[in-house]
Amino acid sequence: MKKLITLTGMFCILSCFTASAQFGKLLNKVKGKPKTEEAAPANTNSETQKPLTEEPKKMTGKGAGKKSGSFATVWESEFENKATRLALSSATGNLIVGTDDNSASVVDSEGRSIWHGDYKKLTTNKTNKSEYQYTIFTDEGGYLFLFDERSMGKDRVACLNLKTGQELWNSEEYQNLIPKGTKAEEGTDDGELETVKYISELDAFLISQKASVILVKASTGEKIWETNRFKGGVGKYIYNQSKNEIVMINFKPTALGALFAGFKNQLVRINASNGEVLWDATFTGFIEKELVTRRAIIDLWIKNDKVFVYLNGIMAFDYNNGKKLWESIYETDMDKGGRKKIYRTVADPLFTSDAVYIVILGGRDRTKYVEKHDLNSGNLLWTSEKITGALSMPNIYKAGNRIMVQVGGKVQVQELRYEQVSGGVGNAMAGLGGFGGGSSKQLVPYIYWEYKAQKNSVLSLDDATGKTAWRSEKFDKRITDLILDGDKNVFVGDGDEFYGYEIASGKQLFDVKHNDAGVGKATDVIDFNDKVVILSEKGLASYFKKDGSRAYATEKIRGVDYFYKIGDNYFLRDQRNSKNIIYGIDMNNGNVKGSVQSKGKGGSPKYGDGIDITQDGEYIFAFKGRKVEKIKVNN
């Protein structure tokens, strides 16, 4: 299995591969680049690399049995170098990587050193200082991609095998992949390069150059094809396995925009085997990026031989010929100002086999309403009543002949705050400062969920007409996300109380005083088998779906603003006051299995500084400088 590391949490997406980059700070996503000429041979010279099969390194510290919270430490080990650039684990925990500008060190699942070495010796083109690095973990091991930007002469890139440390290929052909004339950590994304996109299904990279886009094999650097009919960065793509085709949409790279003369917004369908552009369509709108995650705010879907583009509205194109079939253009209501921005305020389109439902932001009065469109023609089938007083309508659901609308709810805040930060591996955001000892005032990224004052309620619409079937009472304080039990019942919290409603009729099944649980106001809800667990300001409370009776309440955890379900395990995160604490929770009874508080940097951006977690949720890795600790979640 492979795992994609992205900033997540309550909005996380667990994918099947891991890509992580370091650009002065810990970044995320994508992989590196190739060579269009003959690939360089693998480096097997023992003089240029430390032994790949050296004796296992002795574990440091107290070893197995040491407790981290109430978690058991499996082992403690050390990298051969100080991990100031990358420090993270593969999805399964079989490879743990630590890098600095000039070297890498990799240990295995037992904490034993697999290989380590200096880049200048590991690469045949003497790639050395690499302020920008990517890792991609795959079933076979993965890649470490290095960017050596040179002020004099051509930039160098090299790709190493993560499992062995051997060079797979290198190149000086690809230039202008990162901005010129600035420090590497300034003015660029914290995820993938704007000019490089890793296509996991093809194990290949799409590289944007001034005049063309090139697809190359990740393992060899061999050019597969090149086309001059597509320019700019790849904002989003869909790989169609049955046809071996790629549908992708571009955007103008911000830092490198001057390179792309004659740029236009493009949606293209490409034959993945030879690069033939089967059609090329233009679209309207400007693709923005989120403040911290740098995720391109755009989406693509293929439904019923149509390509849907979600960008300031929704546009439908014929998959076969690229002709635009219909569009519905409307505003989004994200806050676009300053170092604090608001996201996840409007629900994504809801698709069924023959229709699409969209939440529309109104005009000057900032009202919202729901529209139902025919999926094939785009014809407007109905429009709901105007819904006033709601900053956010983040979720809509289809349940039988009802469309369930969450009016109000939490919004995601992405913020950059000036804080005093010590040296070492940086945060998951580029352009936040330097390395080394001491401390400096830097912009530190935060992602959290927040409730805004608004008129909150549950709204049920008749699917045939769009008319209001029923609407709950207004919730004064807040409204959690909705939990649907099939087409039968819906559950929701308002901060102080917990409600159950019958979906068809709107009949209130129960009203439980959540404040009696003594865990503070509800902040989120978790669907857990026959119960709904309410994550609250000071702890957890769990209620049975059948009657709303309380299963348990535990007042042990404060300040949690993220939860993660990883495999069969649940984790909560507290990132207040520059801390980063991860709790493991038994959702059956609310007991805390253990906790880990970060004492270092590195780790996965989605779990915060110093922490990484395996894809099955069974192990946590904690990083601090050279040290790495493997922690078992379930004792």
Side-chain angles (χ1 to χ4, degrees):
M1 294 294 291
K2 310 178 220 175
K3 176 183 72 171
L4 170 64
I5 292 185
T6 50
L7 276 164
T8 55
M10 286 178 282
F11 69 108
C12 77
I13 299 175
L14 276 176
S15 196
C16 25
F17 71 91
T18 299
S20 193
Q22 187 68 38
F23 206 177
K25 302 297 164 187
L26 187 65
L27 311 180
N28 64 334
K29 280 204 272 238
V30 154
K31 187 173 158 177
K33 309 147 210 176
K35 181 176 180 178
T36 58
E37 299 175 357
E38 184 179 349
N43 178 9
T44 57
N45 188 340
S46 61
E47 295 299 316
T48 65
Q49 180 176 319
K50 301 283 181 74
L52 303 181
T53 57
E54 64 180 16
E55 288 299 311
K57 185 180 185 304
K58 289 185 179 180
M59 294 177 239
T60 62
K62 297 180 182 178
K66 177 177 177 288
K67 297 292 181 178
S68 181
S70 61
F71 288 137
T73 293
V74 180
W75 49 253
E76 288 182 333
S77 187
E78 287 189 359
F79 294 120
E80 296 293 338
N81 58 346
K82 191 170 182 179
T84 56
R85 186 64 59 177
L86 289 174
L88 68 160
S89 164
S90 66
T92 61
N94 66 324
L95 296 175
I96 303 96
V97 180
T99 76
D100 56 30
D101 285 354
N102 304 297
S103 67
S105 175
V106 177
V107 301
D108 66 11
S109 60
E110 303 300 320
R112 298 172 298 200
S113 178
I114 301 175
W115 65 268
H116 54 90
D118 295 336
Y119 296 147
K120 194 170 184 178
K121 295 180 179 180
L122 294 173
T123 61
T124 54
N125 69 342
K126 300 188 183 302
T127 294
N128 189 22
K129 187 175 182 181
S130 297
E131 292 181 322
Y132 209 158
Q133 302 176 20
Y134 279 126
T135 57
I136 292 289
F137 291 108
T138 68
D139 292 340
E140 294 72 33
Y143 311 98
L144 174 58
F145 201 87
L146 307 174
F147 299 78
D148 185 358
E149 183 188 11
R150 304 181 64 79
S151 57
M152 302 292 290
K154 291 187 173 183
D155 295 348
R156 296 170 178 170
V157 297
C159 187
L160 306 182
N161 184 315
L162 265 179
K163 195 172 184 179
T164 66
Q166 293 180 314
E167 181 185 68
L168 297 172
W169 54 268
N170 67 68
S171 177
E172 295 182 9
E173 180 171 344
Y174 304 112
Q175 302 296 304
N176 300 307
L177 296 177
I178 57 180
K180 295 288 187 182
T182 62
K183 290 182 180 180
E185 65 267 20
E186 294 177 354
T188 189
D189 279 346
D190 74 320
E192 59 206 41
L193 282 175
E194 292 185 329
T195 50
V196 178
K197 176 72 74 174
Y198 178 63
I199 309 295
S200 60
E201 297 88 347
L202 302 175
D203 193 26
F205 300 106
L206 276 170
I207 300 177
S208 299
Q209 297 283 266
K210 181 177 181 180
S212 65
V213 168
I214 305 165
L215 186 75
V216 297
K217 289 184 179 179
S219 59
T220 65
E222 174 190 353
K223 183 201 292 186
I224 301 173
W225 49 257
E226 182 174 3
T227 179
N228 59 7
R229 290 187 58 188
F230 185 88
K231 292 184 179 181
V234 178
K236 195 84 174 181
Y237 80 91
I238 298 175
Y239 176 70
N240 186 333
Q241 185 174 10
S242 64
K243 296 179 180 291
N244 192 28
E245 294 174 351
I246 304 170
V247 175
M248 60 186 184
I249 195 166
N250 73 346
F251 68 98
K252 190 172 185 177
T254 53
L256 307 177
L259 293 175
F260 295 93
F263 176 86
K264 64 178 181 179
N265 290 338
Q266 289 179 286
L267 173 69
V268 299
R269 175 182 162 211
I270 293 180
N271 184 322
S273 61
N274 59 19
E276 178 189 1
V277 176
L278 303 174
W279 51 256
D280 174 352
T282 59
F283 64 93
T284 56
F286 175 73
I287 300 177
E288 299 188 39
K289 290 192 172 184
E290 292 180 353
L291 180 65
V292 172
T293 69
R294 305 306 296 159
R295 183 184 72 92
I297 304 174
I298 189 169
D299 235 322
L300 283 179
W301 300 278
I302 296 177
K303 307 281 184 182
N304 292 10
D305 287 329
K306 293 172 185 61
V307 180
F308 290 90
V309 178
Y310 187 50
L311 175 68
N312 296 325
I314 192 166
M315 294 171 277
F317 297 83
D318 189 306
Y319 184 91
N320 297 305
N321 56 31
K323 179 182 177 182
K324 182 186 283 187
L325 301 173
W326 60 271
E327 65 182 359
S328 177
I329 302 300
Y330 51 92
E331 271 189 87
T332 63
D333 58 353
M334 68 176 175
D335 185 349
K336 300 175 182 174
R339 292 196 300 266
K340 182 177 180 180
K341 299 188 178 182
I342 299 172
Y343 303 99
R344 313 294 191 271
T345 57
V346 173
D348 287 342
L350 171 65
F351 290 94
T352 63
S353 60
D354 58 0
V356 58
Y357 305 80
I358 51 182
V359 173
I360 302 290
L361 171 66
R364 293 181 180 178
D365 57 357
R366 309 295 284 178
T367 59
K368 294 180 176 65
Y369 48 95
V370 179
E371 288 184 352
K372 179 180 180 180
H373 291 259
D374 182 87
L375 192 67
N376 295 312
S377 67
N379 290 340
L380 180 63
L381 301 178
W382 52 251
T383 301
S384 73
E385 66 178 37
K386 287 188 176 182
I387 305 163
T388 60
L391 167 70
S392 61
M393 284 175 48
N395 295 299
I396 55 175
Y397 314 82
K398 189 173 189 304
N401 63 352
R402 295 285 184 263
I403 301 300
M404 303 300 298
V405 183
Q406 179 185 325
V407 182
K410 64 183 183 295
V411 296
Q412 188 189 96
V413 181
Q414 296 190 18
E415 182 179 2
L416 298 176
R417 302 177 192 168
Y418 273 111
E419 292 183 1
Q420 205 72 20
V421 177
S422 60
V425 176
N427 294 280
M429 180 71 189
L432 304 185
F435 293 91
S439 63
S440 60
K441 199 169 185 180
Q442 301 173 14
L443 283 172
V444 176
Y446 284 84
I447 300 178
Y448 55 94
W449 297 93
E450 186 174 81
Y451 283 96
K452 300 288 187 181
Q454 52 191 310
K455 295 180 180 178
N456 308 293
S457 62
V458 180
L459 173 65
S460 177
L461 304 177
D462 182 86
D463 184 38
T465 64
K467 292 182 178 180
T468 298
W470 59 269
R471 189 170 183 172
S472 73
E473 65 182 51
K474 300 290 193 302
F475 299 160
D476 293 333
K477 304 295 184 182
R478 61 183 60 173
I479 182 172
T480 68
D481 289 352
L482 309 184
I483 299 293
L484 273 67
D485 186 11
D487 296 341
K488 186 177 180 182
N489 299 323
V490 60
F491 308 98
V492 62
D494 77 343
D496 294 329
E497 301 186 58
F498 177 58
Y499 302 91
Y501 296 94
E502 189 177 86
I503 290 175
S505 66
K507 175 185 176 183
Q508 187 177 98
L509 302 174
F510 54 76
D511 174 0
V512 177
K513 294 192 178 300
H514 175 63
N515 52 8
D516 289 348
V519 292
K521 295 186 184 302
T523 59
D524 218 311
V525 286
I526 302 169
D527 192 354
F528 185 72
N529 301 328
D530 62 341
K531 305 177 190 70
V532 175
V533 180
I534 298 185
L535 177 60
S536 305
E537 294 169 331
K538 297 185 291 184
L540 303 173
S542 175
Y543 301 91
F544 287 102
K545 294 176 181 177
K546 61 181 180 181
D547 57 10
S549 60
R550 186 177 299 127
Y552 63 80
T554 173
E555 187 182 3
K556 295 182 179 180
I557 305 170
R558 296 173 181 266
V560 170
D561 58 4
Y562 267 74
F563 79 81
Y564 312 83
K565 183 178 186 296
I566 309 173
D568 293 326
N569 297 285
Y570 288 83
F571 300 90
L572 308 181
R573 179 183 175 190
D574 177 0
Q575 56 180 334
R576 297 171 300 157
N577 304 318
S578 301
K579 294 184 300 183
N580 185 36
I581 305 174
I582 300 291
Y583 298 92
I585 303 295
D586 185 342
M587 285 296 173
N588 289 293
N589 52 31
N591 290 341
V592 178
K593 298 178 182 178
S595 66
V596 177
Q597 180 167 350
S598 171
K599 297 179 180 179
K601 304 293 183 180
S604 163
K606 67 184 173 185
Y607 305 125
D609 279 346
I611 302 292
D612 206 351
I613 304 176
T614 56
Q615 188 168 286
D616 59 9
E618 294 296 323
Y619 296 96
I620 298 173
F621 290 91
F623 300 95
K624 183 181 180 182
R626 290 178 181 269
K627 293 183 179 180
V628 54
E629 179 184 4
K630 183 177 182 179
I631 299 158
K632 186 172 176 57
V633 171
N634 297 300
N635 297 325

